[in-house]
Amino acid sequence: MWFRDDLRVTDHPALDAACRRGAVLALYVLDQQSEGVRPLGAAAKWWLDGSLRSLRESLRELGIPLVLRRGPAGVVLPEVLERTGAGGVTWNRRYGGPELAVDAGVKQWCAAHGVEAHSFQAALLHEPWTLRTGAGGPYKVFTPFWKALRALEIRQPLPVPGPGRGAAAAVTAVTGTEDQDGWVLVPSPAGAAGLEAAWTRGEAAAWERLDDFLDRVEDYDEGHDRPDRDGTSRLSPHLRWGEISPFAVWDAAVRHRSEQGSSPGLEKFLAELGWREFNWHLLHQVPDLHVRHVRPAFDAFPWRDPAEAAADVRAWQEGRTGFPLVDAGMRQLRSTGWMHNRVRMVAGSLLTKNLLVDWRAGEQWFWETLVDAEPASGPGNWQWVAGSGADASPFFRIFNPLTQGRKFDPDARYIRRWIPELAGDEAVDPHEPGLLGPSVGYPEPVVDLPASRARALDAYASIR
Ligand SMILES: Cc1cc2nc3c(=O)[nH]c(=O)nc-3n(C[C@H](O)[C@H](O)[C@H](O)COP(=O)(O)OP(=O)(O)OC[C@H]3O[C@@H](n4cnc5c(N)ncnc54)[C@H](O)[C@@H]3O)c2cc1C
């Protein structure tokens, strides 16, 4: 059984199928080499490290050994299958272009060598090729996509397989496993202190978070846009790593609804799961979504020259733009590997519109620093923010980061939490940083908002 972005034992169709068939060996391949597969960012590696350790424990309880290997999966899989003499291999499907190519290669090898290969749907509520518009094409607009998705049946999650299906120790010995410590997924444990403080990785933690969130899902409608509150589920890294399946989340939410009654909060939450699906379906249509514009007109967009914009990009990365909501978010990101969705949108708008920096630079930074970084919702949302994506926010919708701060962090609790320079004097309004001057040690704004807004609109006019 080949584990990938599905580091769990509950609702795991590939594990379930393998256990029904015979003795099971679990394999995880750290593949940073196959063509086109994007090497993981630092925060993602940190998450993977803990998640794999947690998975190993869950599998141990089932008596299933976990073998760890590194290298191109198209080479490692055949080698492991040959060494063990396995009659079959199962996995849950992935949807990124390079990953699909790797999986197709392994399937081909299996067919040529008399090894059965079976893949399963586990990461998405519906396969990207099953949802089609009336004209037969893929959806490019969220609302009809969501309507179509909801009209189809969603299967029930599977239980954890029964114990006693693990392969014999001799099989593991012949395969050879690598030592996870040797992978050095976390080069600087001290540097990961903020991540450690913010998260518990693994399947049990994912379920705990879901249960805790559903107790307050009724507040989600009002609270989901407020970074100063604990108003969202924070399930994104658990979903990213497949520690919990979307089927399990959906099922729990729907059961909550039948017990407690419907609420706008719960419906909004289900719709966010819909946005996750929408982005994965989009990735299936545009496999190089992290570099290719969904709207080709943006290929001619006059982004600023990277060398000229470098200092501004650094200020943005380090949370020193002089716009408190954005800086609070960028500092939250650096410290915890996560940022509130509203702040992601405002930070993205400042970078791509006021600073006129190519969204791909922002996406790359998020890829490096987010614990939930993934190839669909990352680029999909960046293109949404930049205006180049499917069903995107129009380019001329340029957030004012100061107004956004006042609206969504009215008491400046979020800002004060992440920007100590602005936390000291209660009499000072952190939403007006320009008035504070450098005396508090907080930078002046990197751009003039009205002038940069006008520059962005001119740039957009040039490609229309
Ligand atoms: C510029 C930008 C980059 C982003 N990059 C990523 C990314 O790399 N990975 C990622 O998972 N999300 C990304 N998002 C979407 C969103 O910000 C996060 O999914 C959300 O903040 C996660 O917090 P949560 O789990 O508390 O979400 P909740 O509000 O509790 O939502 C529940 C789940 O729905 C899904 N979801 C919610 N909003 C979105 C959305 N806009 N798009 C897709 N799925 C969504 C997530 O799986 C999330 O866990 C990005 C958004 C922006 C604006």
Side-chain angles (χ1 to χ4, degrees):
M1 206 260 97
W2 179 17
F3 277 95
R4 296 97 71 84
D5 296 334
D6 48 4
L7 307 178
R8 63 177 181 272
V9 295
T10 312
D11 191 35
H12 199 298
L15 180 64
D16 185 73
C19 287
R20 283 172 197 279
R21 211 192 138 90
V24 180
L25 183 77
L27 171 70
Y28 181 85
V29 182
L30 180 62
D31 182 358
Q32 312 255 60
Q33 282 152 278
S34 290
E35 197 183 334
V37 170
R38 230 172 146 187
L40 295 171
K45 282 192 198 151
W46 173 84
W47 194 284
L48 173 64
D49 191 48
S51 196
L52 273 179
R53 291 176 202 277
S54 162
L55 176 68
R56 179 192 296 284
E57 284 311 306
S58 304
L59 288 170
R60 200 197 307 274
E61 282 169 26
L62 300 181
I64 298 174
L66 175 64
V67 163
L68 300 179
R69 297 293 294 274
R70 243 179 322 182
V75 175
V76 174
L77 257 288
E79 191 214 309
V80 170
L81 289 168
E82 274 186 336
R83 278 204 197 186
T84 54
V89 55
T90 62
W91 66 73
N92 293 326
R93 279 178 217 121
R94 307 185 282 190
Y95 303 92
E99 290 80 8
L100 278 170
V102 169
D103 295 355
V106 173
K107 217 164 207 174
Q108 247 175 12
W109 184 92
C110 289
H113 291 80
V115 176
E116 282 187 40
H118 295 289
S119 64
F120 299 86
Q121 174 190 352
L124 296 178
L125 299 171
H126 296 295
E127 298 289 27
W129 47 89
T130 55
L131 280 185
R132 284 288 179 264
T133 63
Y139 285 95
K140 296 227 186 292
V141 181
F142 177 73
T143 304
F145 169 86
W146 177 229
K147 234 173 126 180
L149 187 152
R150 297 209 65 172
L152 296 174
E153 204 177 319
I154 291 172
R155 72 158 171 79
Q156 291 290 306
L158 301 168
V160 181
R165 284 302 193 175
V171 179
T172 320
V174 97
T175 318
T177 182
E178 291 182 34
D179 175 10
Q180 191 177 328
D181 290 339
W183 287 4
V184 199
L185 290 168
V186 186
S188 155
L195 299 171
E196 291 283 351
W199 301 99
T200 306
R201 294 159 287 178
E203 186 168 1
W207 280 93
E208 229 170 84
R209 204 169 267 283
L210 174 63
D211 286 347
D212 170 64
F213 173 69
L214 286 177
D215 283 344
R216 53 194 168 83
V217 68
E218 281 73 23
D219 303 333
Y220 184 75
D221 188 42
E222 204 218 326
H224 76 277
D225 254 337
R226 292 284 298 269
D228 56 337
R229 296 183 189 165
D230 188 15
T232 68
S233 69
R234 297 195 189 215
L235 278 169
S236 54
H238 299 289
L239 281 163
R240 153 66 181 91
W241 293 100
E243 294 175 348
I244 193 163
S245 82
F247 296 92
V249 177
W250 186 274
D251 179 62
V254 168
R255 273 191 291 117
H256 182 89
R257 182 172 60 191
S258 56
E259 286 158 17
Q260 311 286 327
S262 185
S263 69
L266 189 131
E267 296 304 321
K268 175 83 192 142
F269 176 65
L270 292 179
E272 294 305 339
L273 294 176
W275 273 103
R276 174 179 177 274
E277 297 270 319
F278 183 72
N279 281 302
W280 279 101
H281 287 224
L282 181 62
L283 178 70
H284 190 67
Q285 294 164 50
V286 187
D288 46 357
L289 190 62
H290 70 295
V291 287
R292 183 190 299 273
H293 293 119
V294 176
R295 293 180 56 204
F298 272 79
D299 291 349
F301 193 89
W303 304 112
R304 270 164 80 203
D305 175 61
E308 185 240 324
D312 288 345
V313 172
R314 228 175 0 264
W316 180 80
Q317 291 172 343
E318 293 172 1
R320 294 187 290 100
T321 64
F323 296 103
L325 185 69
V326 171
D327 291 343
M330 297 307 291
R331 294 185 196 193
Q332 178 183 32
L333 174 61
R334 273 174 84 100
S335 172
T336 68
W338 186 88
M339 195 199 297
H340 188 277
N341 182 60
R342 169 61 47 180
V343 193
R344 293 187 201 202
M345 292 194 286
V346 179
S349 172
L350 184 82
L351 185 76
T352 56
K353 294 171 181 177
N354 300 95
L355 295 176
L356 218 60
V357 170
D358 191 330
W359 62 269
R360 287 166 285 209
E363 194 277 335
Q364 182 60 42
W365 181 250
F366 274 28
W367 179 265
E368 189 58 29
T369 51
L370 275 173
V371 286
D372 62 25
E374 44 96 319
S377 297
N381 275 288
W382 270 102
Q383 296 220 41
W384 183 91
V385 169
S388 64
D391 202 6
S393 166
F395 185 89
F396 53 77
R397 188 164 158 217
I398 300 175
F399 288 121
N400 178 316
L402 300 176
T403 316
Q404 290 282 310
R406 275 204 188 84
K407 186 164 175 199
F408 295 109
D409 183 25
D411 305 324
R413 280 195 293 137
Y414 179 71
I415 288 173
R416 290 187 206 274
R417 158 86 178 81
W418 291 107
I419 309 182
E421 304 96 289
L422 298 179
D425 187 348
E426 287 290 327
V428 159
D429 177 7
H431 292 303
E432 279 299 342
L435 299 181
L436 302 175
S439 60
V440 294
Y442 183 67
E444 293 288 310
V446 282
V447 276
D448 176 69
L449 286 180
S452 60
R453 186 172 195 282
R455 177 178 67 171
L457 293 176
D458 283 350
Y460 180 56
S462 75
I463 63 158
R464 272 197 301 170

